[in-house]
Amino acid sequence: MANILCIGAGYVGGPTMAVIAQKCPEHRVVVVDIRPERIAAWQSDQLPIYEPGLDEVVRATRNKNLFFSTDVDRHVAEADIIFVSVNTPTKSFGQGAGKAADLQYWEQTARHIRRCSLGHKIVVEKSTLPVRTAEAMERILNTAGNGHAFDVVSNPEFLAEGTAIRDMQAPDRVLIGAHDTPSGRRAMQAIVEIYAHWVPPERIITTNLWSAELSKLVANAFLAQRVSSINAISALCEKTEADVTEVARAVGLDGRIGSRFLNASVGFGGSCFKKDIKNLVYLCEYYGLVEVAEYWDQVVKMNEYQGRRFVSNMVSAMFNTLAGKRIALFGAAYKAHTDDTRDSPALGVCRALVAERAQVVLTDPRALENARASLGALAENVVFEPDPIAAACGAHAIAILTEWPCFAELDYQAVYATMAKPAFLFDGRNLLDHRSLHHAGFNVYPIGKPPLVHVGERRPGGGSFPAP
Ligand code: UDX
Ligand code: UDX
């Protein structure tokens, strides 16, 4: 039996440890966090995060071999293996502000581990970190005159919110990086053995530490790049009467390209993509690779452009003024099946519409509470309405910003009847059936497709071809 500890009970630490506890019943898994209210929520029936399937796994393991605690000192002292999944936000101050990872929590955690440890421990980087962070961590951990008591292993997470449990239970691959030294190899083997409980050996990849750290940044950069690539093409489709869904299908059927992550949208969000690319850009700049840095930075710029473009399409379609108009925003979460609003494009749109002095009504089945917190003072200018039908009532426009299936199930004929006319629908996720919406009376503006407008109304930017 091993004592496994995870520091950081967030979107990554919680689900990851719950699945490890489920799959490794002989190990004791403890998750600690400095925020007592988070730990209290993990111990309750109302878990602090929404993640499909998580409740069941936690219910099956909690207080059997999965425990949540705020007693960091005690559990560090008892642990054999310590996963660290504290947050590593983008630095907002000083050198590297806006780009580099803010490693203060990581460093504090490393010092904490050193302070409370007596014997040897394996410290596993779960948080996304800049390449070569392990080097700094090793120096902090191993400078207490305690010899080389710690081995640092990198085991980046690849789980996506909304599918985190499935991603953990059946991962495409598990990546484990360690030093090629006798103790590094032993530490790596200890982590391999955990995952080998349920992951086939060919899916457990071992590399050197720096490759593992860098692979995480690169995987997210490639995924985000695909979204920015198709979003760039969506802008061109809107000018040329091509249909981005048809283009994505035609392109994605090429086995070399593949069909996933080609959904044009209002933009990517979440706590990882932007942060990780900014981090990659900072690393490249640090090493003097200016062209490489610029190349990746463009992925983020394109994403920001897509959000701005969406709002400016709304403004120009709605007669160049939104002031005083009620607008229903369908979705606050950065993607469906999560309550997470970090870096959500929906909130970017929300802020821009408030700046246009629209009366914004925000609806989301799970994320309204987090949206309110993320918007801060701006929340005073937003109505939070859990029921999408009530949100749309009296509105001049609906904008679909998160691809929640429940938004696709509404009776839009009935919704249309309650709205101000002409009624507009901007589908930032290409979620709905645009032809039937048009039939119902809406002026429909998808992403990367010709708009479906009623006679006398024109496409944004005053395009020269008529609506079909
Ligand atoms: C975070 C990072 O954002 C991500 O880059 C990384 O890959 C994994 O960790 P996430 O789990 O989504 O992802 O973050 P969050 O939900 O904020 O959880 C981090 C937790 O760590 C918080 O609950 C926070 O209270 C806790 N924490 C932070 C500590 O316990 N100790 C600290 O010193 C700092
Ligand atoms: C991502 C990675 O997928 C995961 O491996 C990593 O561990 C953490 O970062 P996550 O951010 O949770 O996961 O969600 P993901 O499914 O990757 O979506 C990210 C954003 O891109 C969302 O806002 C999503 O709506 C958007 N997206 C995704 C698109 O706009 N179009 C697509 O085709 C795919």
Side-chain angles (χ1 to χ4, degrees), residues 13 29 31 37 47 86 88 104 124 151 167 212 228 234-235 307 323 335 346 350 360 468:
V29 181
V31 187
E37 72 283 2
L47 300 185
V86 301
T88 49
Q104 60 172 316
V124 186
D151 283 294
D167 294 344
S228 275
S234 77
K335 63 186 280 195
C350 180
V360 178

Short mmCIF file of all heavy atoms in Angstrom, two decimals, residues 13 29 31 37 47 86 88 104 124 151 167 212 228 234-235 307 323 335 346 350 360 468:
data_model
loop_
_atom_site.label_atom_id
_atom_site.label_comp_id
_atom_site.label_asym_id
_atom_site.label_seq_id
_atom_site.Cartn_x
_atom_site.Cartn_y
_atom_site.Cartn_z
N GLY A 13 -7.04 18.22 -9.52
CA GLY A 13 -6.70 17.36 -8.39
C GLY A 13 -7.86 16.47 -7.95
O GLY A 13 -7.68 15.26 -7.74
N VAL A 29 -5.55 7.42 -0.59
CA VAL A 29 -5.41 8.67 -1.35
C VAL A 29 -6.01 9.82 -0.53
O VAL A 29 -7.16 9.75 -0.11
CB VAL A 29 -6.14 8.57 -2.71
CG1 VAL A 29 -5.99 9.87 -3.51
CG2 VAL A 29 -5.63 7.38 -3.52
N VAL A 31 -6.54 14.10 -0.41
CA VAL A 31 -6.45 15.36 -1.17
C VAL A 31 -6.52 16.50 -0.17
O VAL A 31 -7.46 16.56 0.65
CB VAL A 31 -7.60 15.49 -2.19
CG1 VAL A 31 -7.39 16.70 -3.07
CG2 VAL A 31 -7.72 14.22 -3.03
N GLU A 37 -13.07 25.84 2.82
CA GLU A 37 -14.44 25.71 2.28
C GLU A 37 -14.45 24.73 1.11
O GLU A 37 -15.45 24.05 0.87
CB GLU A 37 -15.04 27.08 1.92
CG GLU A 37 -14.48 27.79 0.71
CD GLU A 37 -13.12 28.46 0.93
OE1 GLU A 37 -12.54 28.36 2.02
OE2 GLU A 37 -12.61 29.07 -0.03
N LEU A 47 -20.51 18.74 -4.20
CA LEU A 47 -19.09 18.84 -4.51
C LEU A 47 -18.78 20.24 -5.06
O LEU A 47 -19.65 20.89 -5.66
CB LEU A 47 -18.69 17.77 -5.54
CG LEU A 47 -18.91 16.31 -5.09
CD1 LEU A 47 -18.37 15.35 -6.14
CD2 LEU A 47 -18.26 16.04 -3.75
N VAL A 86 -1.62 22.45 -7.66
CA VAL A 86 -2.05 23.80 -7.28
C VAL A 86 -2.07 24.65 -8.55
O VAL A 86 -1.48 24.29 -9.56
CB VAL A 86 -1.11 24.42 -6.22
CG1 VAL A 86 -1.07 23.56 -4.97
CG2 VAL A 86 0.29 24.64 -6.77
N THR A 88 -1.45 27.45 -11.36
CA THR A 88 -0.27 28.14 -11.91
C THR A 88 -0.78 29.18 -12.90
O THR A 88 -0.62 29.01 -14.10
CB THR A 88 0.65 27.14 -12.62
OG1 THR A 88 -0.16 26.34 -13.52
CG2 THR A 88 1.36 26.23 -11.66
N GLN A 104 4.44 31.11 -7.84
CA GLN A 104 4.57 31.33 -6.39
C GLN A 104 3.90 30.22 -5.57
O GLN A 104 4.44 29.79 -4.56
CB GLN A 104 4.08 32.71 -5.98
CG GLN A 104 2.64 32.98 -6.28
CD GLN A 104 2.18 34.30 -5.65
OE1 GLN A 104 2.51 34.58 -4.51
NE2 GLN A 104 1.45 35.10 -6.42
N VAL A 124 5.24 14.69 -7.64
CA VAL A 124 4.77 14.58 -9.02
C VAL A 124 4.16 15.90 -9.47
O VAL A 124 3.22 16.40 -8.85
CB VAL A 124 3.69 13.47 -9.14
CG1 VAL A 124 3.31 13.25 -10.61
CG2 VAL A 124 4.17 12.17 -8.52
N ASP A 151 12.48 12.82 -5.25
CA ASP A 151 12.55 12.65 -6.70
C ASP A 151 11.38 13.41 -7.30
O ASP A 151 10.24 13.25 -6.86
CB ASP A 151 12.45 11.17 -7.08
CG ASP A 151 13.76 10.46 -6.83
OD1 ASP A 151 14.73 10.81 -7.54
OD2 ASP A 151 13.81 9.60 -5.94
N ASP A 167 -11.89 10.72 -19.39
CA ASP A 167 -10.50 10.90 -19.83
C ASP A 167 -9.53 10.19 -18.88
O ASP A 167 -8.51 9.65 -19.32
CB ASP A 167 -10.13 12.38 -19.89
CG ASP A 167 -10.90 13.14 -20.95
OD1 ASP A 167 -11.50 12.49 -21.84
OD2 ASP A 167 -10.91 14.38 -20.91
N ALA A 212 8.41 15.67 -20.93
CA ALA A 212 7.07 15.55 -20.35
C ALA A 212 6.50 16.94 -20.06
O ALA A 212 5.36 17.24 -20.41
CB ALA A 212 7.10 14.71 -19.07
N SER A 228 -8.18 27.88 -33.53
CA SER A 228 -7.91 29.18 -34.17
C SER A 228 -7.85 29.04 -35.69
O SER A 228 -8.26 29.95 -36.42
CB SER A 228 -6.61 29.78 -33.64
OG SER A 228 -6.88 30.48 -32.44
N SER A 234 -13.41 30.50 -40.68
CA SER A 234 -14.82 30.89 -40.56
C SER A 234 -15.02 32.34 -40.99
O SER A 234 -16.03 32.69 -41.58
CB SER A 234 -15.34 30.66 -39.13
OG SER A 234 -14.88 31.68 -38.26
N ALA A 235 -14.03 33.18 -40.69
CA ALA A 235 -14.14 34.60 -41.10
C ALA A 235 -14.15 34.68 -42.63
O ALA A 235 -14.94 35.44 -43.22
CB ALA A 235 -12.97 35.39 -40.53
N GLY A 307 -13.63 36.59 -30.99
CA GLY A 307 -14.59 37.12 -30.01
C GLY A 307 -15.04 38.53 -30.39
O GLY A 307 -16.23 38.85 -30.35
N ALA A 323 -27.73 49.72 -27.46
CA ALA A 323 -28.04 50.45 -26.22
C ALA A 323 -29.50 50.23 -25.82
O ALA A 323 -30.41 50.43 -26.64
CB ALA A 323 -27.75 51.94 -26.40
N LYS A 335 -17.28 25.87 -22.02
CA LYS A 335 -17.71 24.76 -22.86
C LYS A 335 -18.87 24.07 -22.14
O LYS A 335 -19.12 24.38 -20.97
CB LYS A 335 -16.55 23.78 -23.12
CG LYS A 335 -16.03 23.13 -21.85
CD LYS A 335 -14.80 22.29 -22.08
CE LYS A 335 -15.11 20.93 -22.65
NZ LYS A 335 -13.97 20.00 -22.53
N ALA A 346 -17.76 33.41 -23.48
CA ALA A 346 -19.10 33.95 -23.20
C ALA A 346 -19.00 35.20 -22.34
O ALA A 346 -19.73 36.18 -22.56
CB ALA A 346 -19.94 32.89 -22.49
N CYS A 350 -20.14 39.01 -23.01
CA CYS A 350 -20.98 39.67 -22.01
C CYS A 350 -20.39 41.05 -21.66
O CYS A 350 -21.12 42.06 -21.67
CB CYS A 350 -21.03 38.76 -20.77
SG CYS A 350 -22.00 39.41 -19.44
N VAL A 360 -28.07 43.01 -20.60
CA VAL A 360 -27.63 41.63 -20.81
C VAL A 360 -28.29 40.69 -19.79
O VAL A 360 -28.28 40.96 -18.60
CB VAL A 360 -26.10 41.53 -20.70
CG1 VAL A 360 -25.65 40.09 -20.87
CG2 VAL A 360 -25.44 42.42 -21.74
N PRO A 468 -29.77 33.67 -48.79
CA PRO A 468 -30.44 32.61 -49.54
C PRO A 468 -31.93 32.55 -49.19
O PRO A 468 -32.31 32.94 -48.12
CB PRO A 468 -29.74 31.35 -49.07
CG PRO A 468 -29.03 31.70 -47.83
CD PRO A 468 -28.82 33.16 -47.82
#
